[in-house]
Amino acid sequence: MPVPELLPESLFDKLWNAHVVEPQSEATPAILYIDLHLVHEVTSPQGFDLLREKGIGVRRPERTLATLDHATPSLPPGADGQRPYITEQAHYQVQTLRANCREFGIELHDWDSPSRGIVHVMGPELGATQPGMTIVCGDSHTSTHGAFGALAFGIGTTEVGHVLAKQCLLQNKPGSMRINVAGTLGEGVTAKDLALNIIRHLGMNGGTGYVIEYAGEAVRSLDMESRMTLCNLTIEAGARAGLIAPDETTIDYLRGRAKVPQGEIYARAAEQWLQLASDKDAAFDQEITLDASGMRPTITYGTDPGMSVAIGEPVPAASNASQEKALQYMGFRAGQSMRERKVDIVFVGSCTNGRISDLRAAASVLRGRRLANHVRMLVVPGSENIRRQAEIEGLHEVFSTAGAEWRLPGCSMCIAMNGDTVPPGKTAVSTSNRNFAGRQGAGSRTLLASPETAAACAVMGHVAKVMDLGTANLETVQEVA
Amino acid sequence: MRAFTKLTGPILVLEQENIDTDQIIPARYLTVTNFDGIGEHAFADWRFDANGDPLPGHVLNEPRAGHSPILVGGHNFGCGSSREHAPHALLGFGFRVVISSQIADIFRSNSHNVGLLPVVLDATQHASLLQMDGEEITVDLEQCRVTVRATDGAEQNWAFTIDPFARHCLLRGLDRFDFLNQAEDAIEAYEKSP
C-alpha cells in the first residue's frame, strides 16, 4: 500500500489541529482547547458570574493568570495611602477581580507583585507565553503573543466565562494569510513603522476573517520585543491573530524565564518549538509580499490606524466621506505638512510599545534634551519588571530631567479609562495602538507613532522624526569620544 | 439569551464606515461589573456634549431612535476592541439587529453570544439600505432573508448567510455554553491525551 501523502500544513494549521477537541462540522463550530487564559479586571467579572450561576469552579486554575492593568491608576498612593482610582466603581472592579481570583484559586499579579504589568507584557515576561500554545484573553491585543508562535486572540466576556469553566472555546476556523516582508528595515525604522505600513496596505479591515502569519527577512531579523509590537497591531488590520514561527531569537528570549522549564527540559522543549513552522508548500488563502527597505518612520493622521504617512509627506486627500470626517475631526487639511501640527501630549507606553527596548529608544532621543515648553509627556512602563529595569539603567531620570512624567505600569493613556486622558481638541503623539475618535479621552486627537518618533515630537513640540532633531533643545553638548 | 426569529421595524442608519467599539461604548464606561444599564451610554460621545447634555441634531437623540430595532451601520462595523460591552450597549439601547456590508470578527462572535443578530449584506444591498433611513424592513432569521419595499412598492428579498450554529442558537435563544458543557467527555479525553 502506498503511504498516504501528508498535505503540507501552515503553522496556523498545526496550532489549530493540535488543539481541536471536537472538529468543526457543517452545523457546529470546533471545540478548541485553550492552554493559557489571561485575565484582567475589565472583561472578567461577568465571566466569573457564569461560574457562580452554574455552581462550578475554574476548570484549570493553573492555566489561568490574572493581572490588574486597565483601570489602575498610574500615580502612586496619596498621603492617605489610598491609590487614586478615577472612580469608586473602578476601584470596585479591581477589588472584584481580587475577590474572584481568591475564590477560584487563580494566580493574580496584584499591586504587591513584582511582576504585575499589562497583561500582554507580563505573560511573555514570565514565560507563561510559549510557542505552540493557544492563548486567549478578553482583550483584542492578545494577538501580541503570536510573536512566539502561539495561536493567540482576543475573546468576549461570555467566552471568558466559557474558558474559565471548560478551558475550551467554540470556534470556526478562520482563513489564513501570509505576509512576507522582504528586505530589511532602514536605520531608525522600527517594528511600529513596519506595522503601520502593513495596516495601511491591508486597510483596517483587510485582515478580517484571517489569521496572519508574518514571514520574510525583515520579520526574521526583528528581536522579540519588536515581533510583539508587530503581532500586537495585527488586530488593527482586522485579523484576530498574528503569528511568527519560533526561531533561535524566540528560544533565547524565553530561556530562564520563571514559567518555562529549566535546563535539560528546556532544551528538549526548544527542540519541539523549533519544529513549529509552515511547511514549504503550505497553502494560504491569501499571500502578500511587501518590501521593508522603502519604509520610513511613519505616523497616523486620521481616526483609523490605516490612515498613516511617512513623516515628511503631506496629509493625503480623503477618498470617501468617512475619511473626510476623520480629517475634520483631526483638524487636518489634505496637502498640509504634518510638521505644522503642534503636539500637546506625548504618551510612551502600552502593550504595543511599553517594553524596555521602547523606553530605551525614547530615552536615547531625550538624553540631554528637554521637552518643548508646551508639551506634557507621560512615560508608563508596561510592567513592574520593566519599571525596575528602567530605573536600574537610569532611564527614569532621563525622562524626568527632560520634563516627562514617570508613572506606574498599566494601560494608562492608551485606553484612557484610569484618568490618564488627552483633553478635548488636544493632539497626542502616542506609541499605543488606536487612534479612534475619542480613544484617549472625548475629543482627543491621536497620532500613532514609534517611541523614537514620539520622543522627537516631544522635543520639537510638533510632528517630527528623530533625524529632524539636530541639536534642538540639547541642554549640554554631548562629548564625543 | 432572548430568541430571535423574525422582526419588522424601521431602520436607523449610521452611514459612517469603520464604527469601532470605542464609538459604540467609550472606555470610561467599562469599569462596570455587570451590563445593567449600559445601553444608556451607547454612542455616548456622539449623543452627548462635554456636560452630558444630549446634542440636539444627532439622529440617535431623535425620539424614533429608541423605536428603531434595526441598526444599519457603514462598512466594517464593530472593529477594534473585544469589549462585549459594545453589543450589550446596542441591545440596551433597543437594537436587536445590526446590518452592514462587513462586520468585525470579535464583535460578530460577541453579538452571537449575547443575542444581537449581525447581518452582512452585499455592497449593493447595503448601499440601498443606507438610503432608506427610517423605512420599515423585515429581518427573518428562519429564512435568512431581509425584505425591503422599493419606492415603487415592489418587495425585494435579499438572502444573507450566517454561521449555522449561531443561527441555531439565536432562533431558540440557546446558551452556547450548554453545547460546550455537553462535550465534557471529549474535553477530558483531550486533557488525558499525551
Side-chain angles (χ1 to χ4, degrees), chain B residues 99 119 121 137-139 144-148 156-160:
Chain B
I99 302 179
V119 173
L121 294 176
I137 71 168
T138 298
V139 178
C144 286
R145 194 169 65 192
V146 171
T147 305
V148 302
Q156 283 186 31
N157 288 306
W158 299 332
F160 64 86

Side-chain angles (χ1 to χ4, degrees), chain A residues 367-439:
Chain A
R367 192 166 280 121
R369 290 192 168 90
R370 281 204 58 83
L371 309 190
N373 283 333
H374 64 274
V375 171
R376 179 184 177 216
M377 179 172 180
L378 251 68
V379 185
V380 184
S383 71
E384 290 293 346
N385 275 312
I386 293 167
R387 179 164 78 113
R388 273 194 309 279
Q389 181 60 33
E391 291 182 356
I392 288 168
E393 296 177 23
L395 305 184
H396 64 311
E397 280 162 1
V398 175
F399 296 127
S400 312
T401 307
E405 299 169 44
W406 177 242
R407 295 291 187 95
L408 300 180
C411 302
S412 179
M413 208 180 260
C414 171
I415 189 163
M417 60 182 290
N418 74 335
D420 298 339
T421 58
V422 176
K426 297 291 183 190
T427 296
V429 175
S430 178
T431 67
S432 54
N433 39 60
R434 290 191 173 128
N435 53 351
F436 300 158
R439 167 79 178 185

Side-chain angles (χ1 to χ4, degrees), chain A residues 36 42 68 76-77 86 102 150 247-248 301 321 367 371 477-478:
Chain A
L36 175 64
V42 175
L68 310 175
I86 180 71
R102 197 176 302 133
D247 58 13
E248 289 300 334
Y301 63 91
R367 192 166 280 121
L371 309 190
V477 177
Q478 308 260 314

Side-chain angles (χ1 to χ4, degrees), chain A residues 18-22 26-29 31 33 35 42-43 45-46 49-50 53-54 56 59-60 71 86-87 89-90 92-93 96 137-140 154-159 161-162 165-170 172 204-205 207-210 235-236 238-240 303-304 320 322 325 415-417 434 436-439 441-443, chain B residues 15-23 26-36 38 41 45-46 48-50 58 74-77 79-85 88 102-110 112-114 163-166 168-169 175-193:
Chain A
H19 291 87
V20 169
V21 171
E22 290 270 23
E26 262 179 42
T28 54
I31 297 178
Y33 197 79
D35 294 321
V42 175
T43 56
Q46 304 87 340
D49 286 344
L50 174 84
E53 189 190 302
K54 306 277 178 193
I56 51 178
R59 184 185 185 88
R60 301 296 297 268
I86 180 71
T87 57
Q89 195 181 51
Y92 180 71
Q93 193 176 54
T96 302
C137 174
D139 190 288
S140 62
I155 57 176
T157 295
T158 300
E159 293 172 322
H162 292 179
K166 306 303 289 184
Q167 205 59 37
C168 285
L169 267 184
L170 299 171
N172 291 318
M204 74 179 301
N205 56 345
T208 303
Y210 294 102
I235 183 66
E236 305 314 326
R240 290 176 78 169
T303 54
D304 86 56
N320 59 40
S322 295
K325 193 171 173 188
I415 189 163
M417 60 182 290
R434 290 191 173 128
F436 300 158
R439 167 79 178 185
Chain B
E15 205 173 345
Q16 187 176 320
E17 289 180 12
N18 308 320
I19 295 176
D20 59 77
T21 53
D22 275 84
Q23 308 310 309
R28 62 184 181 279
Y29 300 110
L30 304 187
T31 52
V32 294
T33 47
N34 62 60
F35 294 120
D36 299 343
I38 198 156
H41 308 299
D45 289 346
W46 292 15
F48 305 109
D49 66 16
H58 203 279
H75 190 64
N76 191 31
F77 188 90
C79 53
S81 138
S82 62
R83 61 191 71 167
E84 198 168 285
H85 309 66
H88 276 293
Q102 185 178 36
I103 294 180
D105 290 338
I106 306 180
F107 177 84
R108 191 184 54 227
S109 62
N110 285 344
H112 291 160
N113 275 318
V114 307
D163 167 52
F165 186 69
H168 173 84
C169 293
D175 185 343
R176 294 158 70 98
F177 177 75
D178 296 334
F179 179 76
L180 198 52
N181 209 20
Q182 285 166 11
E184 180 54 35
D185 291 349
I187 300 173
E188 255 179 52
Y190 179 90
E191 286 183 324
K192 284 186 184 136
S193 67

Side-chain angles (χ1 to χ4, degrees), chain A residues 254-464:
Chain A
L254 286 173
R255 186 176 293 113
R257 292 190 182 265
K259 289 184 185 290
V260 297
Q262 308 294 328
E264 265 301 295
I265 313 175
Y266 186 75
R268 282 203 294 275
E271 227 169 275
Q272 298 267 308
W273 292 341
L274 290 171
Q275 305 301 312
L276 291 166
S278 288
D279 295 333
K280 195 171 146 283
D281 297 317
F284 292 85
D285 298 312
Q286 220 188 114
E287 190 145 13
I288 291 170
T289 298
L290 297 172
D291 186 2
S293 52
M295 293 180 188
R296 286 179 285 156
T298 299
I299 195 162
T300 65
Y301 63 91
T303 54
D304 86 56
M307 298 172 76
S308 67
V309 286
I311 300 172
E313 279 177 16
V315 176
S319 61
N320 59 40
S322 295
Q323 287 196 0
E324 187 63 52
K325 193 171 173 188
L327 286 187
Q328 252 174 38
Y329 179 86
M330 295 299 294
F332 278 123
R333 282 174 290 105
Q336 184 182 7
S337 162
M338 290 291 290
R339 286 199 176 89
E340 288 171 27
R341 172 52 68 89
K342 180 171 149 263
V343 172
D344 305 296
I345 291 182
V346 172
F347 171 63
V348 173
S350 85
C351 59
T352 309
N353 278 126
R355 298 185 179 80
I356 190 70
S357 56
D358 300 311
L359 302 191
R360 285 177 189 145
S364 74
V365 174
L366 291 179
R367 192 166 280 121
R369 290 192 168 90
R370 281 204 58 83
L371 309 190
N373 283 333
H374 64 274
V375 171
R376 179 184 177 216
M377 179 172 180
L378 251 68
V379 185
V380 184
S383 71
E384 290 293 346
N385 275 312
I386 293 167
R387 179 164 78 113
R388 273 194 309 279
Q389 181 60 33
E391 291 182 356
I392 288 168
E393 296 177 23
L395 305 184
H396 64 311
E397 280 162 1
V398 175
F399 296 127
S400 312
T401 307
E405 299 169 44
W406 177 242
R407 295 291 187 95
L408 300 180
C411 302
S412 179
M413 208 180 260
C414 171
I415 189 163
M417 60 182 290
N418 74 335
D420 298 339
T421 58
V422 176
K426 297 291 183 190
T427 296
V429 175
S430 178
T431 67
S432 54
N433 39 60
R434 290 191 173 128
N435 53 351
F436 300 158
R439 167 79 178 185
Q440 296 190 288
S444 59
R445 293 163 161 177
T446 300
L447 313 180
L448 301 175
S450 71
E452 289 87 333
T453 298
C457 295
V459 171
M460 299 297 278
H462 57 80
V463 172

